[in-house]
Amino acid sequence: MAAALVKGQNASLDSAEVVLSVRGGVAADLSALLVTEAGKVRSDADFVFFNQPQAPGVRLNGGTLEVSPGSVPAEIAQIRAVITVAAEGDTFGSAASPVAAVADRAGTVLHEYVIDGLGRESVVIALELYRRGEQWKVRAVGQGYAGGFADLVTDHGVSVDDEPDVIAVPEVRSVPGEAALSFEKRQKLDMRKREVAKVLIDKSAFGVRARVVLVIDKTGSMQKMYNGGTVHRVVERMIPVATQLDDDGTLEAYLYALTYAKLPDITVAGGEQWAQTYLHLKGTHQGIDYDGIGGRNDELPIMRAVIDTLTAEPTLVLFFTDGGFAKKREIAALMREAAHLPAFWQFIGLGRANFGVLRTLDELDGRVVDNAGFFAVEDIDQIDDAELYRLLLGEFPDWLGAARAAGIIS
């Protein structure tokens, strides 16, 4: 009869080969992390999953992990068996508790562990095989990751970069809602979060908390970018910035033309639905009159509206436009006035327009601090994430330092 384990309990393994499996609960994928005493993989090769089903001493065979402890490299101190929900939106708390089992090669179950107490987790370390001298043992772990894949790779040092020699990853932050994403979307989000984190680390600003406000041009000249999905993809790529800066990981959002509309905040879990619901040029959607916002641009109303929301906390304004700033003198005066306030304005020019006053913001005189940056991209879809976040966040940390020195933020 199999010995029942409870969370934290360990037992000896006397079999030369064992098979780990998980049954019951929601549909889940099984994987394994081979880690050193430091709790980190030595390289990506120590992560066993469906695309990489084998490592020394460990093999993923269908829905089971076959482990030959005698073949595991001496540097490996622990083998962590991980389960990940297979379906988008599922969590382990939405069904019966999964049961992890350890059997010998003949199929005799040696140990079982009912992984109870799970809630919103989508990734859980079920069991851990570990060394005690020459002896291998099993421990019931049941440690969940509400943040999902992002937390898993961060904690264990797995790199999903295109740079196979780079194993360490920044300590990226996870926020509520990530567990609701599919495995693929969590992976993409995590990769982007790490690119954001790298920029902040390089600029000594990692761990800073700031509001993130997204302002998007909805004038008629933007039609091709809306119809082609470029603006939707911009929103998707701005969400990782908010996860690393904003207290609750949300983006505050506005569309503007002659006037503006304040839209609901964008969350990690709801970003795709948000874009489908609120990114329009014309018509009435969710009670918002898009025609009433106008078809040509006047930046002053939206800029003053954002200024009116500022509090003592730092704010990063990400302002996307395809140009046409006509009121150059008034905008320059407003930026001088706004330099005393706790906000940095990062303007991003989309397309080939003559961006006029935006190109002169870095040299604008009469400001207590440099509170604005600008760059233009002809096709933002052709800029990779690392370069985009470097451009987006390169000046914000410098402003933080200057604003602190000037007493604008604490």
Side-chain angles (χ1 to χ4, degrees), residues 215 256-260 296-308 319 324-335 337 345 347 357:
V215 178
Y256 89 96
L258 279 173
T259 62
Y260 63 90
R296 58 187 180 85
N297 57 333
D298 183 350
E299 288 70 30
L300 292 173
I302 178 58
M303 293 174 72
R304 290 200 176 277
V306 172
I307 286 172
D308 288 343
F319 200 113
F325 283 39
K327 298 181 179 178
K328 301 181 175 75
R329 183 177 302 172
E330 293 90 338
I331 289 172
L334 184 59
M335 292 310 299
E337 174 189 332
W345 302 74
F347 293 93
V357 67

PDB file of all heavy atoms in Angstrom, residues 215 256-260 296-308 319 324-335 337 345 347 357:
ATOM      1  N   VAL A 215      -1.386  57.176 -23.359  1.00  0.00           N
ATOM      2  CA  VAL A 215      -2.179  58.098 -24.172  1.00  0.00           C
ATOM      3  C   VAL A 215      -1.979  57.715 -25.637  1.00  0.00           C
ATOM      4  O   VAL A 215      -0.833  57.617 -26.102  1.00  0.00           O
ATOM      5  CB  VAL A 215      -1.756  59.561 -23.947  1.00  0.00           C
ATOM      6  CG1 VAL A 215      -2.572  60.485 -24.852  1.00  0.00           C
ATOM      7  CG2 VAL A 215      -1.936  59.952 -22.484  1.00  0.00           C
ATOM      8  N   TYR A 256      -7.143  60.212 -27.536  1.00  0.00           N
ATOM      9  CA  TYR A 256      -7.322  61.646 -27.711  1.00  0.00           C
ATOM     10  C   TYR A 256      -7.332  62.010 -29.189  1.00  0.00           C
ATOM     11  O   TYR A 256      -6.771  61.327 -30.048  1.00  0.00           O
ATOM     12  CB  TYR A 256      -6.220  62.434 -26.994  1.00  0.00           C
ATOM     13  CG  TYR A 256      -5.004  62.688 -27.848  1.00  0.00           C
ATOM     14  CD1 TYR A 256      -4.848  63.891 -28.533  1.00  0.00           C
ATOM     15  CD2 TYR A 256      -4.008  61.717 -27.994  1.00  0.00           C
ATOM     16  CE1 TYR A 256      -3.733  64.123 -29.332  1.00  0.00           C
ATOM     17  CE2 TYR A 256      -2.898  61.940 -28.791  1.00  0.00           C
ATOM     18  CZ  TYR A 256      -2.771  63.144 -29.461  1.00  0.00           C
ATOM     19  OH  TYR A 256      -1.686  63.367 -30.266  1.00  0.00           O
ATOM     20  N   ALA A 257      -7.985  63.127 -29.459  1.00  0.00           N
ATOM     21  CA  ALA A 257      -7.933  63.816 -30.755  1.00  0.00           C
ATOM     22  C   ALA A 257      -8.134  65.295 -30.427  1.00  0.00           C
ATOM     23  O   ALA A 257      -7.293  65.889 -29.756  1.00  0.00           O
ATOM     24  CB  ALA A 257      -8.978  63.279 -31.720  1.00  0.00           C
ATOM     25  N   LEU A 258      -9.275  65.894 -30.843  1.00  0.00           N
ATOM     26  CA  LEU A 258      -9.560  67.270 -30.418  1.00  0.00           C
ATOM     27  C   LEU A 258      -9.863  67.321 -28.927  1.00  0.00           C
ATOM     28  O   LEU A 258      -9.486  68.261 -28.227  1.00  0.00           O
ATOM     29  CB  LEU A 258     -10.748  67.831 -31.201  1.00  0.00           C
ATOM     30  CG  LEU A 258     -10.433  68.358 -32.598  1.00  0.00           C
ATOM     31  CD1 LEU A 258     -11.721  68.714 -33.330  1.00  0.00           C
ATOM     32  CD2 LEU A 258      -9.508  69.569 -32.533  1.00  0.00           C
ATOM     33  N   THR A 259     -10.594  66.311 -28.445  1.00  0.00           N
ATOM     34  CA  THR A 259     -10.809  66.141 -27.011  1.00  0.00           C
ATOM     35  C   THR A 259     -10.247  64.774 -26.645  1.00  0.00           C
ATOM     36  O   THR A 259      -9.381  64.255 -27.355  1.00  0.00           O
ATOM     37  CB  THR A 259     -12.303  66.261 -26.658  1.00  0.00           C
ATOM     38  OG1 THR A 259     -13.034  65.225 -27.322  1.00  0.00           O
ATOM     39  CG2 THR A 259     -12.857  67.617 -27.063  1.00  0.00           C
ATOM     40  N   TYR A 260     -10.744  64.177 -25.597  1.00  0.00           N
ATOM     41  CA  TYR A 260     -10.173  62.906 -25.156  1.00  0.00           C
ATOM     42  C   TYR A 260     -11.248  62.088 -24.450  1.00  0.00           C
ATOM     43  O   TYR A 260     -12.309  62.597 -24.056  1.00  0.00           O
ATOM     44  CB  TYR A 260      -8.995  63.141 -24.204  1.00  0.00           C
ATOM     45  CG  TYR A 260      -9.389  63.847 -22.932  1.00  0.00           C
ATOM     46  CD1 TYR A 260      -9.794  63.127 -21.810  1.00  0.00           C
ATOM     47  CD2 TYR A 260      -9.386  65.236 -22.856  1.00  0.00           C
ATOM     48  CE1 TYR A 260     -10.184  63.783 -20.647  1.00  0.00           C
ATOM     49  CE2 TYR A 260      -9.774  65.893 -21.703  1.00  0.00           C
ATOM     50  CZ  TYR A 260     -10.165  65.158 -20.607  1.00  0.00           C
ATOM     51  OH  TYR A 260     -10.560  65.805 -19.466  1.00  0.00           O
ATOM     52  N   ARG A 296      -9.085  65.107 -35.736  1.00  0.00           N
ATOM     53  CA  ARG A 296      -7.753  65.717 -35.821  1.00  0.00           C
ATOM     54  C   ARG A 296      -7.296  66.054 -34.407  1.00  0.00           C
ATOM     55  O   ARG A 296      -8.077  66.006 -33.467  1.00  0.00           O
ATOM     56  CB  ARG A 296      -7.772  66.948 -36.721  1.00  0.00           C
ATOM     57  CG  ARG A 296      -8.736  68.022 -36.308  1.00  0.00           C
ATOM     58  CD  ARG A 296      -8.808  69.137 -37.350  1.00  0.00           C
ATOM     59  NE  ARG A 296      -9.747  70.182 -36.959  1.00  0.00           N
ATOM     60  CZ  ARG A 296      -9.452  71.195 -36.162  1.00  0.00           C
ATOM     61  NH1 ARG A 296      -8.225  71.298 -35.654  1.00  0.00           N
ATOM     62  NH2 ARG A 296     -10.354  72.107 -35.855  1.00  0.00           N
ATOM     63  N   ASN A 297      -6.043  66.393 -34.268  1.00  0.00           N
ATOM     64  CA  ASN A 297      -5.489  66.410 -32.916  1.00  0.00           C
ATOM     65  C   ASN A 297      -5.294  67.806 -32.325  1.00  0.00           C
ATOM     66  O   ASN A 297      -5.004  68.771 -33.017  1.00  0.00           O
ATOM     67  CB  ASN A 297      -4.162  65.646 -32.867  1.00  0.00           C
ATOM     68  CG  ASN A 297      -3.134  66.178 -33.841  1.00  0.00           C
ATOM     69  OD1 ASN A 297      -3.479  66.743 -34.867  1.00  0.00           O
ATOM     70  ND2 ASN A 297      -1.875  66.003 -33.500  1.00  0.00           N
ATOM     71  N   ASP A 298      -5.500  67.845 -31.011  1.00  0.00           N
ATOM     72  CA  ASP A 298      -5.144  68.985 -30.164  1.00  0.00           C
ATOM     73  C   ASP A 298      -4.657  68.378 -28.857  1.00  0.00           C
ATOM     74  O   ASP A 298      -5.437  67.800 -28.097  1.00  0.00           O
ATOM     75  CB  ASP A 298      -6.354  69.894 -29.936  1.00  0.00           C
ATOM     76  CG  ASP A 298      -5.996  71.139 -29.107  1.00  0.00           C
ATOM     77  OD1 ASP A 298      -4.868  71.183 -28.557  1.00  0.00           O
ATOM     78  OD2 ASP A 298      -6.837  72.048 -29.014  1.00  0.00           O
ATOM     79  N   GLU A 299      -3.368  68.487 -28.619  1.00  0.00           N
ATOM     80  CA  GLU A 299      -2.762  67.806 -27.471  1.00  0.00           C
ATOM     81  C   GLU A 299      -3.031  68.495 -26.146  1.00  0.00           C
ATOM     82  O   GLU A 299      -2.953  67.854 -25.085  1.00  0.00           O
ATOM     83  CB  GLU A 299      -1.243  67.689 -27.679  1.00  0.00           C
ATOM     84  CG  GLU A 299      -0.836  66.673 -28.733  1.00  0.00           C
ATOM     85  CD  GLU A 299      -1.195  67.110 -30.132  1.00  0.00           C
ATOM     86  OE1 GLU A 299      -1.217  68.345 -30.388  1.00  0.00           O
ATOM     87  OE2 GLU A 299      -1.457  66.231 -30.977  1.00  0.00           O
ATOM     88  N   LEU A 300      -3.315  69.759 -26.148  1.00  0.00           N
ATOM     89  CA  LEU A 300      -3.421  70.505 -24.888  1.00  0.00           C
ATOM     90  C   LEU A 300      -4.508  69.976 -23.956  1.00  0.00           C
ATOM     91  O   LEU A 300      -4.262  69.830 -22.751  1.00  0.00           O
ATOM     92  CB  LEU A 300      -3.627  71.995 -25.172  1.00  0.00           C
ATOM     93  CG  LEU A 300      -2.419  72.700 -25.811  1.00  0.00           C
ATOM     94  CD1 LEU A 300      -2.790  74.126 -26.196  1.00  0.00           C
ATOM     95  CD2 LEU A 300      -1.225  72.694 -24.872  1.00  0.00           C
ATOM     96  N   PRO A 301      -5.731  69.674 -24.426  1.00  0.00           N
ATOM     97  CA  PRO A 301      -6.750  69.166 -23.494  1.00  0.00           C
ATOM     98  C   PRO A 301      -6.343  67.865 -22.803  1.00  0.00           C
ATOM     99  O   PRO A 301      -6.523  67.726 -21.586  1.00  0.00           O
ATOM    100  CB  PRO A 301      -7.986  68.983 -24.384  1.00  0.00           C
ATOM    101  CG  PRO A 301      -7.790  69.959 -25.494  1.00  0.00           C
ATOM    102  CD  PRO A 301      -6.318  69.960 -25.753  1.00  0.00           C
ATOM    103  N   ILE A 302      -5.792  66.899 -23.551  1.00  0.00           N
ATOM    104  CA  ILE A 302      -5.424  65.635 -22.919  1.00  0.00           C
ATOM    105  C   ILE A 302      -4.240  65.821 -21.983  1.00  0.00           C
ATOM    106  O   ILE A 302      -4.170  65.234 -20.901  1.00  0.00           O
ATOM    107  CB  ILE A 302      -5.134  64.537 -23.970  1.00  0.00           C
ATOM    108  CG1 ILE A 302      -4.708  63.233 -23.293  1.00  0.00           C
ATOM    109  CG2 ILE A 302      -4.071  64.972 -24.957  1.00  0.00           C
ATOM    110  CD1 ILE A 302      -5.701  62.672 -22.333  1.00  0.00           C
ATOM    111  N   MET A 303      -3.286  66.678 -22.360  1.00  0.00           N
ATOM    112  CA  MET A 303      -2.138  66.896 -21.491  1.00  0.00           C
ATOM    113  C   MET A 303      -2.559  67.552 -20.182  1.00  0.00           C
ATOM    114  O   MET A 303      -2.100  67.161 -19.097  1.00  0.00           O
ATOM    115  CB  MET A 303      -1.076  67.719 -22.215  1.00  0.00           C
ATOM    116  CG  MET A 303      -0.442  66.975 -23.389  1.00  0.00           C
ATOM    117  SD  MET A 303       0.704  67.983 -24.374  1.00  0.00           S
ATOM    118  CE  MET A 303       2.078  68.112 -23.225  1.00  0.00           C
ATOM    119  N   ARG A 304      -3.458  68.509 -20.260  1.00  0.00           N
ATOM    120  CA  ARG A 304      -3.949  69.151 -19.027  1.00  0.00           C
ATOM    121  C   ARG A 304      -4.779  68.182 -18.196  1.00  0.00           C
ATOM    122  O   ARG A 304      -4.740  68.212 -16.969  1.00  0.00           O
ATOM    123  CB  ARG A 304      -4.744  70.406 -19.356  1.00  0.00           C
ATOM    124  CG  ARG A 304      -3.879  71.543 -19.882  1.00  0.00           C
ATOM    125  CD  ARG A 304      -4.550  72.903 -19.758  1.00  0.00           C
ATOM    126  NE  ARG A 304      -3.653  73.967 -20.188  1.00  0.00           N
ATOM    127  CZ  ARG A 304      -2.714  74.516 -19.424  1.00  0.00           C
ATOM    128  NH1 ARG A 304      -2.536  74.077 -18.183  1.00  0.00           N
ATOM    129  NH2 ARG A 304      -1.946  75.481 -19.894  1.00  0.00           N
ATOM    130  N   ALA A 305      -5.517  67.303 -18.858  1.00  0.00           N
ATOM    131  CA  ALA A 305      -6.302  66.307 -18.127  1.00  0.00           C
ATOM    132  C   ALA A 305      -5.394  65.367 -17.336  1.00  0.00           C
ATOM    133  O   ALA A 305      -5.682  65.041 -16.181  1.00  0.00           O
ATOM    134  CB  ALA A 305      -7.173  65.516 -19.099  1.00  0.00           C
ATOM    135  N   VAL A 306      -4.303  64.938 -17.948  1.00  0.00           N
ATOM    136  CA  VAL A 306      -3.354  64.080 -17.235  1.00  0.00           C
ATOM    137  C   VAL A 306      -2.716  64.846 -16.081  1.00  0.00           C
ATOM    138  O   VAL A 306      -2.573  64.316 -14.965  1.00  0.00           O
ATOM    139  CB  VAL A 306      -2.281  63.538 -18.199  1.00  0.00           C
ATOM    140  CG1 VAL A 306      -1.180  62.814 -17.424  1.00  0.00           C
ATOM    141  CG2 VAL A 306      -2.908  62.601 -19.235  1.00  0.00           C
ATOM    142  N   ILE A 307      -2.333  66.079 -16.320  1.00  0.00           N
ATOM    143  CA  ILE A 307      -1.733  66.900 -15.259  1.00  0.00           C
ATOM    144  C   ILE A 307      -2.672  67.024 -14.068  1.00  0.00           C
ATOM    145  O   ILE A 307      -2.242  66.968 -12.912  1.00  0.00           O
ATOM    146  CB  ILE A 307      -1.351  68.287 -15.823  1.00  0.00           C
ATOM    147  CG1 ILE A 307      -0.102  68.165 -16.709  1.00  0.00           C
ATOM    148  CG2 ILE A 307      -1.110  69.297 -14.699  1.00  0.00           C
ATOM    149  CD1 ILE A 307       0.244  69.415 -17.467  1.00  0.00           C
ATOM    150  N   ASP A 308      -3.968  67.155 -14.337  1.00  0.00           N
ATOM    151  CA  ASP A 308      -4.942  67.297 -13.252  1.00  0.00           C
ATOM    152  C   ASP A 308      -5.046  66.051 -12.379  1.00  0.00           C
ATOM    153  O   ASP A 308      -5.560  66.122 -11.260  1.00  0.00           O
ATOM    154  CB  ASP A 308      -6.326  67.633 -13.821  1.00  0.00           C
ATOM    155  CG  ASP A 308      -6.410  69.062 -14.358  1.00  0.00           C
ATOM    156  OD1 ASP A 308      -5.528  69.875 -14.016  1.00  0.00           O
ATOM    157  OD2 ASP A 308      -7.352  69.350 -15.116  1.00  0.00           O
ATOM    158  N   PHE A 319       3.085  58.460 -24.441  1.00  0.00           N
ATOM    159  CA  PHE A 319       2.224  59.255 -25.308  1.00  0.00           C
ATOM    160  C   PHE A 319       2.518  58.898 -26.767  1.00  0.00           C
ATOM    161  O   PHE A 319       3.539  59.287 -27.320  1.00  0.00           O
ATOM    162  CB  PHE A 319       2.511  60.744 -25.059  1.00  0.00           C
ATOM    163  CG  PHE A 319       1.445  61.694 -25.484  1.00  0.00           C
ATOM    164  CD1 PHE A 319       0.727  62.428 -24.549  1.00  0.00           C
ATOM    165  CD2 PHE A 319       1.169  61.888 -26.827  1.00  0.00           C
ATOM    166  CE1 PHE A 319      -0.250  63.339 -24.940  1.00  0.00           C
ATOM    167  CE2 PHE A 319       0.188  62.787 -27.233  1.00  0.00           C
ATOM    168  CZ  PHE A 319      -0.520  63.511 -26.289  1.00  0.00           C
ATOM    169  N   GLY A 324       1.675  66.019 -35.987  1.00  0.00           N
ATOM    170  CA  GLY A 324       0.733  67.080 -36.274  1.00  0.00           C
ATOM    171  C   GLY A 324       0.514  68.045 -35.137  1.00  0.00           C
ATOM    172  O   GLY A 324      -0.524  68.701 -35.070  1.00  0.00           O
ATOM    173  N   PHE A 325       1.478  68.151 -34.229  1.00  0.00           N
ATOM    174  CA  PHE A 325       1.353  69.083 -33.106  1.00  0.00           C
ATOM    175  C   PHE A 325       1.412  70.516 -33.637  1.00  0.00           C
ATOM    176  O   PHE A 325       2.472  71.026 -33.991  1.00  0.00           O
ATOM    177  CB  PHE A 325       2.487  68.865 -32.099  1.00  0.00           C
ATOM    178  CG  PHE A 325       2.302  67.660 -31.214  1.00  0.00           C
ATOM    179  CD1 PHE A 325       1.776  66.485 -31.711  1.00  0.00           C
ATOM    180  CD2 PHE A 325       2.664  67.707 -29.879  1.00  0.00           C
ATOM    181  CE1 PHE A 325       1.622  65.368 -30.899  1.00  0.00           C
ATOM    182  CE2 PHE A 325       2.509  66.601 -29.059  1.00  0.00           C
ATOM    183  CZ  PHE A 325       1.986  65.422 -29.565  1.00  0.00           C
ATOM    184  N   ALA A 326       0.255  71.186 -33.674  1.00  0.00           N
ATOM    185  CA  ALA A 326       0.183  72.518 -34.276  1.00  0.00           C
ATOM    186  C   ALA A 326       0.504  73.628 -33.288  1.00  0.00           C
ATOM    187  O   ALA A 326       1.122  74.636 -33.646  1.00  0.00           O
ATOM    188  CB  ALA A 326      -1.203  72.731 -34.886  1.00  0.00           C
ATOM    189  N   LYS A 327       0.092  73.457 -32.026  1.00  0.00           N
ATOM    190  CA  LYS A 327       0.233  74.543 -31.040  1.00  0.00           C
ATOM    191  C   LYS A 327       1.588  74.443 -30.345  1.00  0.00           C
ATOM    192  O   LYS A 327       1.684  74.173 -29.150  1.00  0.00           O
ATOM    193  CB  LYS A 327      -0.923  74.485 -30.053  1.00  0.00           C
ATOM    194  CG  LYS A 327      -2.282  74.692 -30.738  1.00  0.00           C
ATOM    195  CD  LYS A 327      -3.427  74.652 -29.736  1.00  0.00           C
ATOM    196  CE  LYS A 327      -4.766  74.892 -30.419  1.00  0.00           C
ATOM    197  NZ  LYS A 327      -5.913  74.820 -29.485  1.00  0.00           N
ATOM    198  N   LYS A 328       2.623  74.689 -31.115  1.00  0.00           N
ATOM    199  CA  LYS A 328       3.978  74.485 -30.615  1.00  0.00           C
ATOM    200  C   LYS A 328       4.291  75.372 -29.420  1.00  0.00           C
ATOM    201  O   LYS A 328       4.857  74.924 -28.418  1.00  0.00           O
ATOM    202  CB  LYS A 328       4.990  74.732 -31.750  1.00  0.00           C
ATOM    203  CG  LYS A 328       4.808  73.820 -32.958  1.00  0.00           C
ATOM    204  CD  LYS A 328       5.858  74.129 -34.017  1.00  0.00           C
ATOM    205  CE  LYS A 328       5.780  73.154 -35.182  1.00  0.00           C
ATOM    206  NZ  LYS A 328       4.664  73.404 -36.063  1.00  0.00           N
ATOM    207  N   ARG A 329       3.945  76.653 -29.508  1.00  0.00           N
ATOM    208  CA  ARG A 329       4.266  77.583 -28.422  1.00  0.00           C
ATOM    209  C   ARG A 329       3.527  77.184 -27.143  1.00  0.00           C
ATOM    210  O   ARG A 329       4.104  77.189 -26.061  1.00  0.00           O
ATOM    211  CB  ARG A 329       3.889  79.002 -28.838  1.00  0.00           C
ATOM    212  CG  ARG A 329       4.253  80.057 -27.789  1.00  0.00           C
ATOM    213  CD  ARG A 329       3.915  81.449 -28.293  1.00  0.00           C
ATOM    214  NE  ARG A 329       4.611  81.743 -29.548  1.00  0.00           N
ATOM    215  CZ  ARG A 329       4.372  82.818 -30.268  1.00  0.00           C
ATOM    216  NH1 ARG A 329       3.454  83.700 -29.900  1.00  0.00           N
ATOM    217  NH2 ARG A 329       5.058  83.026 -31.386  1.00  0.00           N
ATOM    218  N   GLU A 330       2.259  76.844 -27.271  1.00  0.00           N
ATOM    219  CA  GLU A 330       1.467  76.491 -26.094  1.00  0.00           C
ATOM    220  C   GLU A 330       1.962  75.190 -25.457  1.00  0.00           C
ATOM    221  O   GLU A 330       2.009  75.067 -24.235  1.00  0.00           O
ATOM    222  CB  GLU A 330      -0.009  76.350 -26.473  1.00  0.00           C
ATOM    223  CG  GLU A 330      -0.673  77.647 -26.893  1.00  0.00           C
ATOM    224  CD  GLU A 330      -0.553  77.885 -28.397  1.00  0.00           C
ATOM    225  OE1 GLU A 330       0.356  77.304 -29.025  1.00  0.00           O
ATOM    226  OE2 GLU A 330      -1.377  78.656 -28.926  1.00  0.00           O
ATOM    227  N   ILE A 331       2.345  74.221 -26.298  1.00  0.00           N
ATOM    228  CA  ILE A 331       2.849  72.953 -25.763  1.00  0.00           C
ATOM    229  C   ILE A 331       4.183  73.167 -25.053  1.00  0.00           C
ATOM    230  O   ILE A 331       4.421  72.609 -23.970  1.00  0.00           O
ATOM    231  CB  ILE A 331       2.979  71.922 -26.892  1.00  0.00           C
ATOM    232  CG1 ILE A 331       1.572  71.487 -27.354  1.00  0.00           C
ATOM    233  CG2 ILE A 331       3.780  70.700 -26.433  1.00  0.00           C
ATOM    234  CD1 ILE A 331       1.573  70.633 -28.587  1.00  0.00           C
ATOM    235  N   ALA A 332       5.054  73.984 -25.617  1.00  0.00           N
ATOM    236  CA  ALA A 332       6.320  74.279 -24.962  1.00  0.00           C
ATOM    237  C   ALA A 332       6.088  74.951 -23.616  1.00  0.00           C
ATOM    238  O   ALA A 332       6.742  74.619 -22.612  1.00  0.00           O
ATOM    239  CB  ALA A 332       7.183  75.167 -25.864  1.00  0.00           C
ATOM    240  N   ALA A 333       5.144  75.888 -23.560  1.00  0.00           N
ATOM    241  CA  ALA A 333       4.830  76.557 -22.294  1.00  0.00           C
ATOM    242  C   ALA A 333       4.278  75.563 -21.278  1.00  0.00           C
ATOM    243  O   ALA A 333       4.617  75.626 -20.086  1.00  0.00           O
ATOM    244  CB  ALA A 333       3.829  77.692 -22.537  1.00  0.00           C
ATOM    245  N   LEU A 334       3.435  74.645 -21.741  1.00  0.00           N
ATOM    246  CA  LEU A 334       2.859  73.658 -20.828  1.00  0.00           C
ATOM    247  C   LEU A 334       3.929  72.723 -20.285  1.00  0.00           C
ATOM    248  O   LEU A 334       3.924  72.361 -19.104  1.00  0.00           O
ATOM    249  CB  LEU A 334       1.779  72.860 -21.552  1.00  0.00           C
ATOM    250  CG  LEU A 334       1.017  71.842 -20.696  1.00  0.00           C
ATOM    251  CD1 LEU A 334       0.327  72.523 -19.528  1.00  0.00           C
ATOM    252  CD2 LEU A 334       0.003  71.081 -21.542  1.00  0.00           C
ATOM    253  N   MET A 335       4.889  72.331 -21.110  1.00  0.00           N
ATOM    254  CA  MET A 335       5.949  71.453 -20.641  1.00  0.00           C
ATOM    255  C   MET A 335       6.850  72.158 -19.631  1.00  0.00           C
ATOM    256  O   MET A 335       7.357  71.530 -18.694  1.00  0.00           O
ATOM    257  CB  MET A 335       6.779  70.944 -21.817  1.00  0.00           C
ATOM    258  CG  MET A 335       6.025  69.990 -22.757  1.00  0.00           C
ATOM    259  SD  MET A 335       5.190  68.632 -21.879  1.00  0.00           S
ATOM    260  CE  MET A 335       6.575  67.817 -21.122  1.00  0.00           C
ATOM    261  N   GLU A 337       5.756  74.449 -17.548  1.00  0.00           N
ATOM    262  CA  GLU A 337       4.920  74.441 -16.340  1.00  0.00           C
ATOM    263  C   GLU A 337       4.913  73.061 -15.692  1.00  0.00           C
ATOM    264  O   GLU A 337       5.046  72.929 -14.471  1.00  0.00           O
ATOM    265  CB  GLU A 337       3.490  74.840 -16.732  1.00  0.00           C
ATOM    266  CG  GLU A 337       2.472  74.732 -15.617  1.00  0.00           C
ATOM    267  CD  GLU A 337       1.054  74.928 -16.148  1.00  0.00           C
ATOM    268  OE1 GLU A 337       0.870  75.631 -17.167  1.00  0.00           O
ATOM    269  OE2 GLU A 337       0.123  74.371 -15.535  1.00  0.00           O
ATOM    270  N   TRP A 345       7.182  62.685 -19.322  1.00  0.00           N
ATOM    271  CA  TRP A 345       6.416  62.496 -20.538  1.00  0.00           C
ATOM    272  C   TRP A 345       7.307  61.864 -21.602  1.00  0.00           C
ATOM    273  O   TRP A 345       8.238  62.498 -22.098  1.00  0.00           O
ATOM    274  CB  TRP A 345       5.874  63.827 -21.035  1.00  0.00           C
ATOM    275  CG  TRP A 345       4.999  64.536 -20.044  1.00  0.00           C
ATOM    276  CD1 TRP A 345       5.390  65.181 -18.909  1.00  0.00           C
ATOM    277  CD2 TRP A 345       3.577  64.650 -20.106  1.00  0.00           C
ATOM    278  NE1 TRP A 345       4.304  65.692 -18.243  1.00  0.00           N
ATOM    279  CE2 TRP A 345       3.167  65.388 -18.962  1.00  0.00           C
ATOM    280  CE3 TRP A 345       2.602  64.227 -21.012  1.00  0.00           C
ATOM    281  CZ2 TRP A 345       1.841  65.693 -18.712  1.00  0.00           C
ATOM    282  CZ3 TRP A 345       1.274  64.526 -20.765  1.00  0.00           C
ATOM    283  CH2 TRP A 345       0.905  65.241 -19.621  1.00  0.00           C
ATOM    284  N   PHE A 347       7.230  60.767 -25.232  1.00  0.00           N
ATOM    285  CA  PHE A 347       6.477  60.840 -26.485  1.00  0.00           C
ATOM    286  C   PHE A 347       7.080  59.856 -27.489  1.00  0.00           C
ATOM    287  O   PHE A 347       8.299  59.770 -27.633  1.00  0.00           O
ATOM    288  CB  PHE A 347       6.514  62.254 -27.051  1.00  0.00           C
ATOM    289  CG  PHE A 347       5.789  63.261 -26.213  1.00  0.00           C
ATOM    290  CD1 PHE A 347       6.469  64.003 -25.256  1.00  0.00           C
ATOM    291  CD2 PHE A 347       4.422  63.472 -26.374  1.00  0.00           C
ATOM    292  CE1 PHE A 347       5.806  64.946 -24.477  1.00  0.00           C
ATOM    293  CE2 PHE A 347       3.753  64.416 -25.603  1.00  0.00           C
ATOM    294  CZ  PHE A 347       4.447  65.149 -24.648  1.00  0.00           C
ATOM    295  N   VAL A 357       7.682  70.152 -32.699  1.00  0.00           N
ATOM    296  CA  VAL A 357       8.072  70.525 -31.347  1.00  0.00           C
ATOM    297  C   VAL A 357       8.549  69.334 -30.523  1.00  0.00           C
ATOM    298  O   VAL A 357       9.393  69.489 -29.639  1.00  0.00           O
ATOM    299  CB  VAL A 357       6.892  71.236 -30.632  1.00  0.00           C
ATOM    300  CG1 VAL A 357       5.735  70.282 -30.385  1.00  0.00           C
ATOM    301  CG2 VAL A 357       7.356  71.865 -29.312  1.00  0.00           C
TER     302      VAL A 357
END
